[in-house]
Amino acid sequence: MKRTSWLLTLSCLSCATLLALAAGCGSSSPVAGNGNDAAAGTSATGTAGITGAAGDQGTAGATGTAGDQGTAGATGTAGTTGTAGATGAAGSTGAAGMGAAGSTGAAGMGAAGTGGTMCGGTGQACCAANTCSAGGCCVAGTCHASAAACGQGFGMCMNGSCGTGMTACGGIGDDCCGGTRGTCTASGARCTAGKCVACGADGAACCQGAGTTTCSTGLSCQAAAGDGGTTLTCAPCGATGKACCAGNTCDTGLGCAAPANMPRTCEDCGKTGGACCAGSVCQAGGRCMGATNGMGGMCEACGAGGQVCCAGGGGILAARGTCDTGFTCTGTGAMQSCKACGGMGDACCPAANIGGTATCSAGLACTRGNNGASSCTACGGMGEACCASATGALTCSTGFTCGRTNAGRACEPCGGKGEVCCVTGTMRTCTTGMCANTGMCP
């Protein structure tokens, strides 16, 4: 009887232990009824409520903070490898929404990562408001790395300033480098009465330097209202009704109108197929046709094959329109149109710069006919025109050299017995034997 009672008691204790363990294996998270302020559980992959904080790999709520590898909410902050929300800040390799990107990230409307910029790096042009990255110094429009020489006798660059101690110059609050009419080297600084002061921000004075970089991104240097242009400050640009940004640019979908005797502003005009902006202006890819005295007209697509030429760049080239790559503008006046160029038998493509050389596709040369018109013909072979290399040097196919004929430069055989020596770089060679001093092969 005692043995039976003892076994029964032991069995009951075992059952109670198992029930307790089963209860303990359940989630340790509180029972959140999906409420707005619910907190995530302690599970490594838990999901937070609308304002909750996620677990180690969880997803944060609308304003929550992500875990180590989580994704932030609309205004949250991303984790180590996470992606920030609309206004969040990215992690070390993340991509920002409207904030500043990480070391290799790309910003939405903020500052791009170091790998994606075309300005601000060592040896590159200074960015808007004379800005250089990583504490560099902007000297004569070029960025010099921190801890490197500023040049011009200004000493070493150190976090935007040149020189150290009593000789430091160029930083905000420092003396201007080069004297009263000198320059400032720190980002967002200009020289005023011999001292470097802040510039380039909204409402601040315009920075000195090239007109396209005098204010921070999204701002342009504008005359204060009502003072006749005496005071110039940085103000928002690019939006509807605002001043056009540097280079007469506006936000996407807007044209930079140029009404007579009035400042240029960004307006909803100039779209292809729509009305021209005041001043006969169209957005990129369109040309204003049919306008009278800068008013009226419609924007037609331009630049592609068979389309009207886009407006020229001004100055000496104003009368000649422009076309997309691979096309050239032919004709005169209103009859200008874009035709294919650079191919066999096509017209030569125009030079990229004034005084430059017209170009053709690889293996072709730009030659001028008896009628004075230029066209692309085969080059490099026997009796053909010499090809022009990327450096401008005249070349021919293997076994030929660029010689002179009555008609100009042409390719002729080389290297054989009694032929001129072939030229490879600075070497003159023959198929057999040595090139004689006369330049002929034995």
Side-chain angles (χ1 to χ4, degrees):
M1 184 68 169
K2 289 182 180 180
R3 179 182 178 88
T4 301
S5 294
W6 179 80
L7 289 174
L8 181 60
T9 300
L10 179 61
S11 176
C12 291
L13 289 173
S14 298
C15 290
T17 302
L18 287 174
L19 287 173
L21 288 173
C25 289
S27 172
S28 61
S29 304
V31 181
N34 292 327
N36 290 345
D37 295 321
T42 57
S43 172
T45 57
T47 301
I50 292 177
T51 58
D56 290 345
Q57 301 179 32
T59 301
T63 58
T65 302
D68 291 345
Q69 301 179 32
T71 301
T75 58
T77 302
T80 304
T81 57
T83 301
T87 58
S92 59
T93 57
M98 293 176 64
S103 58
T104 57
M109 294 181 64
T114 56
T117 62
M118 295 303 294
C119 65
T122 302
Q124 295 178 337
C126 307
C127 294
N130 304 327
T131 301
C132 293
S133 60
C137 297
C138 181
V139 181
T142 301
C143 289
H144 296 249
S146 186
C150 288
Q152 300 190 18
F154 295 159
M156 299 292 287
C157 174
M158 189 61 65
N159 295 324
S161 296
C162 292
T164 58
M166 298 298 293
T167 63
C169 67
I172 295 177
D174 292 337
D175 290 339
C176 303
C177 295
T180 302
R181 295 188 176 183
T183 185
C184 295
T185 57
S187 300
R190 61 167 287 158
C191 183
T192 300
K195 287 288 186 179
C196 292
V197 297
C199 65
D202 188 5
C206 304
C207 295
Q208 298 154 321
T212 57
T213 60
T214 55
C215 295
S216 300
T217 303
L219 305 174
S220 67
C221 192
Q222 304 172 31
D227 74 347
T230 302
T231 304
L232 296 176
T233 58
C234 293
C237 63
T240 302
K242 298 292 186 181
C244 302
C245 294
N248 295 327
T249 57
C250 296
D251 293 347
T252 302
L254 300 178
C256 182
N261 302 317
M262 294 181 65
R264 302 189 70 150
T265 57
C266 294
E267 308 295 344
D268 185 10
C269 60
K271 298 182 177 69
T272 301
C276 304
C277 300
S280 304
V281 174
C282 292
Q283 296 183 34
R287 182 167 185 173
C288 185
M289 304 296 290
T292 302
N293 296 324
M295 299 301 294
M298 298 292 290
C299 291
E300 292 185 13
C302 67
Q307 294 179 346
V308 65
C309 302
C310 296
I316 194 172
L317 298 177
R320 174 61 61 188
T322 61
C323 297
D324 297 342
T325 301
F327 299 93
T328 185
C329 185
T330 61
T332 58
M335 300 304 294
Q336 289 184 357
S337 62
C338 294
K339 299 286 176 38
C341 69
M344 183 66 178
D346 291 337
C348 305
C349 293
N353 303 304
I354 297 175
T357 304
T359 60
C360 294
S361 301
L364 302 176
C366 183
T367 59
R368 191 172 298 277
N370 294 330
N371 61 355
S374 62
S375 61
C376 294
T377 58
C379 67
M382 175 63 182
E384 294 176 344
C386 305
C387 299
S389 69
T391 60
L394 297 177
T395 62
C396 294
S397 302
T398 302
F400 299 95
T401 189
C402 188
R404 296 183 181 275
T405 67
N406 292 334
R409 305 298 296 270
C411 294
E412 59 184 21
C414 67
K417 183 178 180 179
E419 295 176 344
V420 295
C421 304
C422 294
V423 179
T424 304
T426 59
M427 300 292 294
R428 294 179 178 270
T429 60
C430 296
T431 304
T432 58
M434 300 289 290
C435 179
N437 293 333
T438 58
M440 301 298 292
C441 291

